[in-house]
Amino acid sequence: MISVGVLGATGAVGQRFVQLLAGHPNFELSVLTASKRSAGKKYRDACSWRLEVPFPEDVGDIIVSDTTVESLKKVDLVFSALPADLAGDVEMQCAKAGIGVCSNASTYRMEPDVPLVVPEVNADHLGMIDLQRDKGTDGFIVTNPNCSTIMLTCSLAPLRRFSFSDLRVATMQAISGAGFEGIPGMAIFDNLIPYIGGEEEKMERETLKIMGTFDGAEVQKAPFSVSACCNRVPVIDG
Ligand SMILES: NC(=O)c1ccc[n+]([C@@H]2O[C@H](COP(=O)([O-])OP(=O)(O)OC[C@H]3O[C@@H](n4cnc5c(N)ncnc54)[C@H](OP(=O)(O)O)[C@@H]3O)[C@@H](O)[C@H]2O)c1
């Protein structure tokens, strides 16, 4: 069994990680971290479970830890669901301490030696982990993209053999993408919000990295332009 931790385990993404990892045949969920507001509480008391599936009772008694590398000594791998402005330091400290980091946060996505991976599309980019190891990092950081970029690149991957130069994409994105505290009900109910801060820029740059070519030393960005228009719509997921 691989011992794993979830950073930001009480949030929207963290709860999904916990749901997928609880009772997993290969992973043992050992450490759940969150903010100081939650640290010291049982997971069942610290988080307000909002997923459509039942709460995983077998992890409910785990005591939530503060999000520090010291809390993670007994894990081999962490899944990070931290806000991007907080993820940088702790994810890097984990990697330097020999822990593998799989991150949902945007902090390291565009770093030249960090894989930005959609497994069905560019699993070969995981070779970038060797570049991190060459710099003396015992662990590693691997990131996944913005959620709408995952959908886009999965659709584009089968079309790679055709050349295209100019890609225009419009999204209709669920409110879960903004996290639990993200959108006030009064703003989104019966409405469509044609702006998600930073999202269009992320889609445009992350797509070019994921669809790019890794030659063993660096990623050559994909040779097309992307123009994105992102909208928030009043559905829960998707
Ligand atoms: N939601 C999505 O669909 C989605 C998709 C792709 C990527 N992401 C990215 O995933 C990350 C998490 O997003 P989310 O939607 O799950 O956010 P969220 O619901 O707001 O959850 C944030 C998590 O971070 C913890 N946290 C907050 N402040 C902290 C602090 N000072 N120190 C340590 N932990 C702290 C919270 O713990 P407390 O409960 O104790 O406050 C909570 O566990 C973000 O980087 C986001 O951009 C989200």
Side-chain angles (χ1 to χ4, degrees):
M1 293 285 264
I2 300 170
S3 173
V4 301
V6 175
L7 313 183
T10 50
V13 176
Q15 289 187 17
R16 188 66 74 183
F17 275 135
V18 170
Q19 177 221 331
L20 294 169
L21 290 163
H24 194 285
N26 304 118
F27 298 115
E28 183 183 5
L29 203 42
S30 310
V31 179
L32 302 176
T33 84
S35 74
K36 287 193 191 321
R37 294 180 289 278
S38 307
K41 296 181 185 167
K42 286 183 178 175
Y43 185 62
R44 72 173 79 255
D45 300 326
C47 86
S48 166
W49 189 255
R50 301 191 204 186
L51 302 188
E52 70 292 354
V53 292
F55 180 78
E57 294 296 338
D58 48 336
V59 298
D61 288 335
I62 293 180
I63 303 295
V64 175
S65 305
D66 201 2
T67 304
T68 62
V69 71
E70 289 74 28
S71 306
L72 296 157
K73 289 228 163 76
K74 61 179 177 180
V75 308
D76 306 310
L77 191 65
V78 295
F79 294 93
S80 172
L82 290 172
D85 55 336
L86 301 170
D89 287 348
V90 71
E91 290 183 2
M92 187 54 76
Q93 286 164 10
C94 285
K96 289 192 169 153
I99 298 168
V101 178
C102 301
S103 179
N104 243 273
S106 58
T107 320
Y108 292 111
R109 287 178 190 161
M110 297 309 294
E111 287 299 309
D113 59 356
V114 173
L116 175 61
V117 173
V118 178
E120 297 83 351
V121 177
N122 66 335
D124 63 306
H125 287 202
L126 290 171
M128 275 183 238
I129 289 172
D130 291 340
L131 305 179
Q132 297 178 32
R133 295 266 160 83
D134 290 346
K135 289 184 188 163
T137 308
D138 289 333
F140 59 83
I141 299 177
V142 171
T143 57
N144 64 244
N146 172 281
C147 37
S148 47
T149 307
I150 297 175
M151 301 299 139
L152 174 62
T153 53
C154 284
S155 307
L156 286 178
L159 303 174
R160 261 193 283 228
R161 72 181 96 159
F162 307 108
S163 74
F164 40 86
S165 59
D166 187 8
L167 179 72
R168 307 200 184 176
V169 55
T171 69
M172 302 291 149
Q173 298 180 220
I175 54 174
S176 63
F180 284 141
E181 309 300 336
I183 313 254
M186 290 293 277
I188 192 72
F189 185 72
D190 252 359
N191 199 8
L192 181 154
I193 302 174
Y195 174 74
I196 306 176
E199 195 86 343
E200 293 165 352
E201 293 86 345
K202 280 187 215 162
M203 259 195 121
E204 291 170 1
R205 61 174 179 257
E206 292 175 11
T207 299
L208 295 181
K209 180 171 180 181
I210 295 162
M211 297 297 293
T213 308
F214 177 55
D215 63 9
E218 61 182 351
V219 173
Q220 304 292 342
K221 281 198 291 189
F224 53 83
S225 65
V226 185
S227 174
C229 172
C230 298
N231 304 281
R232 192 69 79 192
V233 294
V235 299
I236 299 287
D237 281 316

